[in-house]
Amino acid sequence: MSEERLSFQAEVSRLLDIVAHSLYSEKEVFLRELISNASDACDRLRYAALTDGSLLGDDRDFKIRIVADKDAKTLTLIDNGIGMNRQDLVDNLGTIARSGTSAFVKNLSGDSKKDVSLIGQFGVGFYSAFMVAEKVEVFSRKAGEATGWRWVSDGQGSFTVAEDEAAPARGTRIVMHIREAETEFLEEHRLRHVIKTYSDHIAVPILLGAETTDSVNAANALWTRSKSEITEEQYKEFYHHVGHAFDEPWLTLHWRAEGVIEYTGLLFVPQQRPFDLFDPRRAHHVKLYVRRVFITDEAEGLVPPYLRFLKGVVDSEDLPLNVSREMLQNNPVLTKLKAGIVKRVLGDLNKKAADPEQAADYARFWDAFGAVLKEGLYEDYAHRDDLLKLLRFRTTESKGELVSLATYISRMKEGQDAIYYITGDEKSAVEKSPQVEGFRAKGVEVLLLTDPVDEFWVGSVRETDGKPFKSVTRGGADLSKIKGEEKPEDEKKDKASDGDLSALTALLKLTLGEEVKDVRRSERLTDSAVCLVADDGDMDIHLQRLLKQHGQLGADAASKRVLEINPGHPLIRRLAEKATQDGAASSLEDAAWLLLDQARILEGETLPDPLSFARRMAAFVEKGLG
Ligand SMILES: Nc1ncnc2c1ncn2[C@@H]1O[C@H](COP(=O)(O)OP(=O)(O)OP(=O)(O)O)[C@@H](O)[C@H]1O
């Protein structure tokens, strides 16, 4: 086939532009990226050869060779891994395969400084070669295939592919034509240092020079070494490699299990949320190995979705080496591995969570991954108690600090028998909700739940330690039973008389008719005149809104709300007085609708009839101005 010229996917061009022009201060990381890819290629061939031994031929020892040629100003990296055919080259080196990354690049701001620091968080993989090279040639031949290929690009929007017999017998040779300013990467000592720093953990030998047979790296799988032999730095570099990550691990778990099943786990909890954390597939990122052979990074069932932030490796001694990815489904060994992983991870998280000295550190984890962990509360009943201990909340009383359920319970007021919460989209908004006023006045703490998942777990967990979870926007507020810290003047505050209030309530019910389920005097309001609540047994207001937004609830399936009025509010007092007068029904009609609309606005809802609202409002203001 003759040479073809193809364009890079738009996102790749964008990425290359940033890579070439702005740049990381640490250009040396390009080598780590290419070595990481070469090692993955060896892993994949090792796995493929389990079912088709002929793929390896006589060349059975995997290696990565790096050769610098100062005269030609080229740096060459050769692996005898799985290799790429024409289609692979076009797909892998012309597009960004990972969907999260691709979407991310699409949304880059165009401000190169900002973009570079963001890209630094996930790396640019193969394309980082263009940080040091003005031209890159990739010669490759896929294992088991006859034809070799050459891919060439100067990173300027396009590349060429053509058949080429100069490709290695199997695997990939990447030739980088090093820029004048980057010739330091042709110096052996510099290369050796970079390899030692970033790639020592790579399990395939890395040979520096055309002839040498001595590897620069230790060349055994990091997780097989004993903990005492591994430095923090090495763990970190391994985490970068295995997790395609660029932050520091927040927690490193390295353990060997011997007993019912035998395996080694080396798992990391990242510091930062990866971009695809809320991807609907909820896939995890833990690689499964069987006796040092990479099997798959998609073993569904190895890690539950609520721990999908974990990165790392699990290496089993019990699974058969020829286990196919299909065979892994419903495999009893896999089930046991999963049980071991969950126990270990939750145990270590609980140690961190329980240590007051590490509260600030745990808070960082919680802010990154708490929302994901909460999914386990309704998906993994067996570990619910462990998970409940890990929960942290911001509350109306916590001044931004995180509070555990145990702390909340220890601070409950006399007569308080429920754990109160409010759900919503944003902390600042729920904190100011009228429904929490009465609780705040009494010093009764209310959990502020602002993750969408919150609605689902509170609905499923229902209670802890004998204390039910209760929404402050649903049902009666039963605040009168609680001995709080209210100030005496609150008690004495003028309230509408019972008779007047009953008249107003009746009038509002009549006027608003089908728009509300009921109108009641409120126990929970102190400052606002009105608010909406869901009736006991009805769906919480925020949950209704959430389900509607996601098309899970028809417009008419929503249950009606109860309008609560504050007997101590001057406006309600005045209206109550008027409600007993003749002709009140018609003179207060506009006021009734305005009260309801006000409650809707406080709830963050759009008004069903904004035009009428504006008309009534204008009329009132006009009257007020005399
Ligand atoms: N030496 C190689 N041998 C075989 N395939 C390779 C090699 N180098 C790259 N590839 C293929 O090209 C793809 C893209 O590589 P690239 O480094 O850009 O991204 P990645 O490795 O998937 O992710 P990351 O951005 O985290 O490095 C790889 O997933 C792999 O399929």
Side-chain angles (χ1 to χ4, degrees):
M1 200 188 264
S2 60
E3 183 175 281
E4 270 185 280
R5 180 165 287 278
L6 295 159
S7 297
F8 284 118
Q9 182 195 27
E11 289 79 48
V12 175
S13 291
R14 192 96 200 259
L15 203 62
L16 284 171
D17 203 41
I18 298 169
V19 163
H21 290 112
S22 19
L23 272 236
Y24 295 114
S25 46
E26 295 166 31
K27 293 194 178 176
E28 62 203 36
V29 297
F30 80 95
L31 200 56
R32 159 183 82 188
E33 299 292 310
L34 299 183
I35 291 174
S36 179
N37 284 346
S39 145
D40 286 347
C42 295
D43 269 357
R44 273 186 287 151
L45 178 56
R46 199 184 276 126
Y47 175 73
L50 293 177
T51 40
D52 180 359
S54 71
L55 289 175
L56 289 183
D58 298 335
D59 187 9
R60 311 190 71 81
D61 296 327
F62 291 105
K63 52 186 170 301
I64 300 168
R65 189 177 289 282
I66 297 171
V67 183
D69 182 335
K70 281 190 184 163
D71 298 331
K73 296 209 178 65
T74 57
L75 181 65
T76 303
L77 195 139
I78 311 153
D79 70 65
N80 56 351
I82 192 131
M84 288 178 275
N85 60 23
R86 182 187 171 282
Q87 197 59 44
D88 294 334
L89 285 165
V90 172
D91 291 348
N92 297 334
L93 308 186
T95 63
I96 300 178
R98 291 197 289 151
S99 59
T101 311
S102 170
F104 174 75
V105 173
K106 240 185 219 155
N107 291 327
L108 284 175
S109 67
D111 171 346
S112 61
K113 254 206 192 123
K114 260 196 227 150
D115 290 348
V116 170
S117 78
L118 279 173
I119 281 181
Q121 290 173 21
F122 70 87
V124 290
F126 167 79
Y127 302 111
S128 59
F130 288 99
M131 294 201 285
V132 295
E134 55 198 9
K135 181 168 107 175
V136 178
E137 296 175 282
V138 180
F139 298 86
S140 197
R141 192 183 321 255
K142 193 159 185 165
E145 295 188 12
T147 315
W149 298 92
R150 183 182 53 151
W151 176 105
V152 187
S153 179
D154 58 4
Q156 308 275 330
S158 69
F159 59 90
T160 60
V161 244
E163 255 184 62
D164 198 322
E165 269 320 293
R170 180 192 81 216
T172 303
R173 181 170 73 243
I174 300 177
V175 182
M176 284 161 277
H177 296 265
I178 300 295
R179 291 175 203 274
E180 202 55 59
E182 313 296 345
T183 47
E184 62 182 285
F185 294 110
L186 298 171
E187 301 291 342
E188 188 184 315
H189 68 273
R190 181 84 171 97
L191 293 168
R192 186 175 295 276
H193 179 73
V194 176
I195 298 167
K196 265 300 209 195
T197 310
Y198 296 107
S199 306
D200 190 55
H201 60 80
I202 294 286
V204 179
I206 303 169
L207 314 172
L208 185 55
E211 309 294 335
T212 178
T213 49
D214 293 338
S215 64
V216 179
N217 59 330
N220 54 11
L222 187 82
W223 63 91
T224 60
R225 302 182 208 168
S226 82
K227 273 176 159 178
S228 56
E229 288 170 26
I230 308 173
T231 65
E232 199 117 319
E233 207 48 39
Q234 285 172 322
Y235 273 130
K236 186 177 98 181
E237 286 311 327
F238 180 72
Y239 163 65
H240 288 169
H241 163 68
V242 76
H244 295 285
F246 293 83
D247 55 346
E248 309 249 323
W250 177 78
L251 181 67
T252 302
L253 299 95
H254 186 188
W255 78 104
R256 200 152 296 161
E258 281 158 359
V260 193
I261 50 163
E262 214 175 301
Y263 67 94
T264 304
L266 175 48
L267 298 180
F268 302 92
V269 177
Q271 278 185 0
Q272 288 172 359
R273 274 188 181 185
F275 294 98
D276 57 358
L277 189 63
F278 291 104
D279 187 277
R281 287 188 309 129
R282 305 201 299 152
H284 69 78
H285 300 280
V286 174
K287 295 187 173 186
L288 177 66
Y289 281 69
V290 172
R291 274 161 272 149
R292 262 64 65 209
V293 177
F294 170 70
I295 305 293
T296 174
D297 46 11
E298 292 175 1
E300 225 182 292
L302 179 65
V303 173
Y306 69 89
L307 294 180
R308 63 184 174 275
F309 50 81
L310 291 172
K311 311 246 177 177
V313 170
V314 171
D315 189 352
S316 162
E317 299 292 327
D318 305 301
L319 285 166
L321 251 181
N322 62 355
V323 66
S324 70
R325 286 169 195 157
E326 294 69 43
M327 263 166 65
L328 284 171
Q329 275 166 7
N330 304 320
N331 184 300
V333 177
L334 204 73
T335 312
K336 285 188 193 126
L337 281 173
K338 173 171 150 185
I341 293 169
V342 171
K343 186 162 173 249
R344 178 72 193 210
V345 173
L346 294 186
D348 276 29
L349 287 177
N350 258 318
K351 268 186 223 153
K352 280 260 197 191
D355 180 357
E357 304 233 314
Q358 302 198 49
D361 196 30
Y362 185 72
R364 282 198 300 162
F365 160 77
W366 182 258
D367 285 335
F369 301 114
V372 174
L373 211 56
K374 288 182 211 170
E375 294 169 14
L377 289 167
Y378 53 85
E379 288 185 345
D380 188 357
Y381 188 80
H383 293 101
R384 187 175 273 181
D385 287 342
D386 292 323
L387 286 164
L388 282 167
K389 281 190 247 159
L390 293 174
L391 297 186
R392 292 294 180 273
F393 303 91
R394 295 201 160 73
T395 78
T396 46
E397 303 288 314
S398 73
K399 301 187 178 65
E401 297 288 305
L402 287 167
V403 170
S404 68
L405 281 173
T407 306
Y408 179 97
I409 290 172
S410 72
R411 304 208 285 225
M412 277 168 59
K413 299 280 180 240
E414 201 183 324
Q416 179 184 353
D417 50 17
I419 298 170
Y420 290 103
Y421 69 87
I422 179 163
T423 51
D425 300 332
E426 265 179 69
K427 183 176 153 281
S428 57
V430 289
E431 222 169 2
K432 289 188 212 123
S433 291
Q435 292 95 337
V436 303
E437 288 171 3
F439 292 85
R440 201 191 280 280
K442 280 202 160 190
V444 175
E445 195 160 16
V446 178
L447 307 179
L448 308 172
L449 304 185
T450 50
D451 289 319
V453 61
D454 287 325
E455 289 286 3
F456 302 99
W457 74 259
V458 278
S460 142
V461 174
R462 288 171 181 275
E463 59 107 35
T464 178
D465 213 5
K467 315 272 186 301
F469 287 95
K470 200 160 188 308
S471 165
V472 300
T473 64
R474 189 167 57 197
D478 46 301
L479 270 168
S480 54
K481 287 190 301 186
I482 304 175
K483 274 208 172 47
E485 305 157 349
E486 68 236 289
K487 296 138 204 111
E489 59 266 30
D490 285 344
E491 287 290 308
K492 282 190 255 124
K493 217 157 119 184
D494 282 343
K495 290 195 173 145
S497 78
D498 285 350
D500 291 354
L501 207 64
S502 306
L504 179 63
T505 320
L507 182 148
L508 290 173
K509 263 192 238 180
L510 202 71
T511 311
L512 302 175
E514 290 298 298
E515 288 296 309
V516 291
K517 184 162 183 180
D518 199 0
V519 180
R520 287 181 203 151
R521 65 183 293 164
S522 183
E523 268 197 66
R524 74 193 92 211
L525 293 174
T526 58
D527 300 331
S528 306
V530 284
C531 73
L532 287 170
V533 297
D535 209 359
D536 245 338
D538 284 349
M539 196 186 284
D540 217 348
I541 296 183
H542 177 246
L543 178 59
Q544 262 187 36
R545 195 158 56 226
L546 211 65
L547 292 178
K548 259 200 230 164
Q549 274 164 8
H550 290 86
Q552 308 260 2
L553 197 70
D556 40 353
S559 41
K560 284 189 216 137
R561 284 77 178 279
V562 175
L563 178 70
E564 286 199 349
I565 56 175
N566 177 2
H569 194 281
L571 174 63
I572 299 295
R573 278 208 312 270
R574 290 289 305 278
L575 288 172
E577 281 160 28
K578 294 225 163 195
T580 51
Q581 295 170 3
D582 281 350
S586 75
S587 67
L588 295 188
E589 187 188 345
D590 277 352
W593 288 108
L594 279 174
L595 282 182
L596 177 60
D597 280 346
Q598 203 185 105
R600 284 172 170 151
I601 291 170
L602 284 169
E603 207 41 61
E605 304 205 338
T606 45
L607 298 179
D609 184 0
L611 214 63
S612 298
F613 169 75
R615 184 180 52 72
R616 290 187 183 114
M617 191 69 181
F620 262 84
V621 174
E622 201 185 325
K623 237 192 254 168
L625 293 173

